[in-house]
Amino acid sequence: MTETDRQGLEAAPDTTGPQPAGPAHPGPRAAAPGPTELRVDLSSPVPVYEQIRSQVVGLVAVGALGAGDRLPASRDLARDLGIAVGTVQRAYRELEAGGTVVSRRRVGTVIAPAGLRGAAPEAGTASSGGEDLLARTRDLVRRARAEGLGDEAVLDMVRGALRTERT
Amino acid sequence: MAVGLGLFVVLGLVVLPVLVTMLAVVLVRRLGGDNGAGWDPPESAVRARRHELLIASASALGAVVCAGVVLSLPVTGTGRGALAPGVPGFAQAVGPFAAVVVFCAVRAVGELTWPRPTGTVRTAPLVRRTVRSLGGARLGRLLATALVLVIALVVFGLVAGEGGRQFDHPPVTSPDGWVSESSRGPFPGWPYGGPLLAGLVVALLATIGTLRLIARRSPLAGVPGEHDAAVRATSAARLLGGVQLLTGGTLGITLWIAGHALRPGGELPAGAPGAWLSGVGVVLMVAGVAIGVASGISGLLTAMPRRPAGAQAPAARLTGGVRA
């Protein structure tokens, strides 16, 4: 996971722990996102297109999105989020440049097969190592939440481990 | 007399439809669990369901008022107010599709009243929403009903007698040599079939357009994804249910009228040509009643709201509580 991917995930506010003081006009309290929902924070320093890109990459990495899954049309997603169409189109272009998605006429934007992506093995593939790693990651999240740790705390632990485990 | 007529108009076209619609709304809220007692949804979802029920009630009321206005028009096809001179019952024939258009128009306006995404934190599902995915099997049944209606109107138009408003029975020769010819009406020939086909096309276009608006509505802020999807599914089901009720009812009435005209007026001698038409007429009448009733029941059942995925039915929750 690259530094920008981590920033993108961090842009999604933590809803599991105590909520910090929000921005001036946060709007209605946002519900916790579902398994395949995007969550963007317009007040975040991370560009919205980057938030979208990194969250899609994350969903593919954990198997919530699989090869062949069709993403909404850019104008539909932009309308749902209330943002400019160009922002979503840039996110899709970045995803296609990274090999996460492919765009086809009449079909739209779909998640690329694992062979075309340079990311971690797709969850659910024959690689037992990949499945085991994903299961351990999920277990880490469950245990952390059981102990009352928020998403930011878990990410802090992962960042610390990445820094200290450099070879 | 003028006072009496005015009183009839007010009572029949305004007061009665409003009372019927209010009664339907109360029944839906009581039986469908819109008060949230059975599902324990968040307050935001409850508010969303109330807004959806308001839109559905307004569109149903609009359709009922339109139907009332149409039924009040003269049937004879003559005099002031007749839409098609010389074609009795023209307004009543196309009235259901006029009601569909009003139903869809009010629903479309209601869909535009949903709040747009606000706030700095926004969510959206990564799911493609299309007219086909939202319509599902209910859309398929509506299109099938429309197709049967088209086929029926074309066939009736081709077999109708001169003028298109009656069915000419085959001549019957009596044992003593007399030849008798008879016609029976009303019959849904081209004077009715053409406008009905045009009305059906307009009604379907209005339905698809409104369904598209429902699919394109932005997710509601603060409402969990599964509840938002349930509200959207409820909107689509109520739209398609109302259109199915009116379209299926039109098909049912058309089949019944055609079947009635196919049956000869009197007793036919044994072996007379066209005796089989009586059986066909009975089949059409029975089919018309069945289709009309099925469409009505199907349409009324869609008034009940859809539960979010994973939500237990109130009976299941009660049983679970007793077991615990």
Side-chain angles (χ1 to χ4, degrees):
Chain A
M1 188 180 292
T2 65
E3 183 64 28
T4 50
D5 289 341
R6 283 194 291 272
Q7 288 176 352
L9 286 176
E10 290 166 11
D14 176 19
T15 58
T16 57
Q19 297 297 311
H25 299 285
R29 184 178 177 80
T36 53
E37 277 190 350
L38 286 181
R39 188 189 189 101
V40 297
D41 184 355
L42 303 185
S43 63
S44 169
V46 178
V48 173
Y49 76 86
E50 176 56 32
Q51 295 181 46
I52 296 173
R53 187 205 68 80
S54 60
Q55 287 181 49
V56 172
V57 169
L59 289 172
V60 173
V62 298
L65 291 174
D69 287 347
R70 297 174 65 184
L71 297 182
S74 54
R75 62 179 177 279
D76 293 339
L77 185 57
R79 188 187 312 114
D80 284 355
L81 292 172
I83 60 178
V85 176
T87 303
V88 179
Q89 289 175 337
R90 179 165 182 183
Y92 282 6
R93 282 200 302 273
E94 301 274 337
L95 285 166
E96 189 169 15
T100 304
V101 303
V102 291
S103 294
R104 301 171 188 160
R105 296 184 73 178
R106 294 189 180 183
V107 175
T109 305
V110 298
I111 302 298
L116 294 181
R117 287 185 255 126
E122 182 180 346
T125 59
S127 166
S128 59
E131 289 179 3
D132 181 60
L133 187 60
L134 180 60
R136 287 171 179 264
T137 304
R138 292 189 190 278
D139 184 57
L140 167 67
V141 171
R142 276 192 295 268
R143 292 173 61 183
R145 286 181 175 169
E147 294 184 16
L149 291 177
D151 291 358
E152 279 299 315
V154 176
L155 288 172
D156 287 339
M157 288 172 56
V158 173
R159 278 195 293 268
L162 286 168
R163 291 195 189 98
T164 56
E165 292 293 327
R166 289 184 193 279
T167 58
Chain B
M1 175 161 176
V3 172
L5 183 63
L7 198 61
F8 169 75
V9 169
V10 171
L11 286 175
L13 302 185
V14 179
V15 175
L16 188 59
V18 169
L19 289 177
V20 168
T21 304
M22 286 175 61
L23 177 63
V25 168
V26 169
L27 286 175
V28 166
R29 291 193 66 174
R30 287 243 177 220
L31 301 178
D34 248 5
N35 56 7
W39 312 343
D40 196 21
E43 180 59 28
S44 58
V46 173
R47 286 198 303 271
R49 289 187 173 276
R50 285 199 189 117
H51 190 73
E52 150 56 36
L53 185 59
L54 179 64
I55 296 173
S57 305
S59 58
L61 180 61
V64 169
V65 171
C66 176
V69 169
V70 168
L71 289 175
S72 69
L73 295 175
V75 179
T76 57
T78 58
R80 295 176 61 182
L83 291 182
V87 184
F90 175 84
Q92 289 73 21
V94 298
F97 295 130
V100 167
V101 172
V102 171
F103 182 72
C104 292
V106 175
R107 163 67 71 169
V109 171
E111 288 297 319
L112 299 177
T113 64
W114 289 101
R116 297 194 177 279
T118 57
T120 55
V121 178
R122 301 176 185 179
T123 60
L126 279 175
V127 175
R128 292 182 73 98
R129 298 190 302 269
T130 61
V131 167
R132 184 181 296 181
S133 66
L134 203 58
R138 213 174 289 278
L139 179 61
R141 281 196 292 271
L142 174 62
L143 294 177
T145 303
L147 180 61
V148 173
L149 180 58
V150 169
I151 295 173
L153 290 174
V154 171
V155 170
F156 296 152
L158 292 174
V159 302
E162 188 176 344
R165 294 193 285 119
Q166 66 209 20
F167 179 76
D168 298 333
H169 290 270
V172 176
T173 304
S174 63
D176 51 0
W178 286 103
V179 177
S180 65
E181 296 178 341
S182 65
S183 298
R184 200 167 188 191
F187 189 77
W190 288 124
Y192 302 99
L196 277 173
L197 287 172
L200 177 63
V201 170
V202 173
L204 287 179
L205 289 176
T207 303
I208 299 297
T210 307
L211 197 58
R212 194 157 178 260
L213 276 181
I214 296 174
R216 293 175 63 180
R217 172 177 63 75
S218 302
L220 301 171
V223 178
E226 62 274 17
H227 288 274
D228 179 79
V231 171
R232 198 186 304 272
T234 300
S235 300
R238 285 171 174 166
L239 170 72
L240 291 173
V243 177
Q244 176 70 43
L245 189 153
L246 292 167
T247 304
T250 301
L251 174 60
I253 293 174
T254 301
L255 292 177
W256 195 92
I257 291 175
H260 187 263
L262 283 178
R263 299 180 63 211
E267 196 71 27
L268 290 178
W276 57 275
L277 285 173
S278 180
V280 174
V282 171
V283 170
L284 287 179
M285 292 174 73
V286 171
V289 171
I291 290 173
V293 170
S295 295
I297 293 175
S298 171
L300 290 175
L301 284 178
T302 60
M304 298 303 169
R306 298 293 170 276
R307 292 187 176 85
Q312 287 180 315
R317 289 172 57 89
L318 178 61
T319 302
V322 171
R323 286 206 189 109

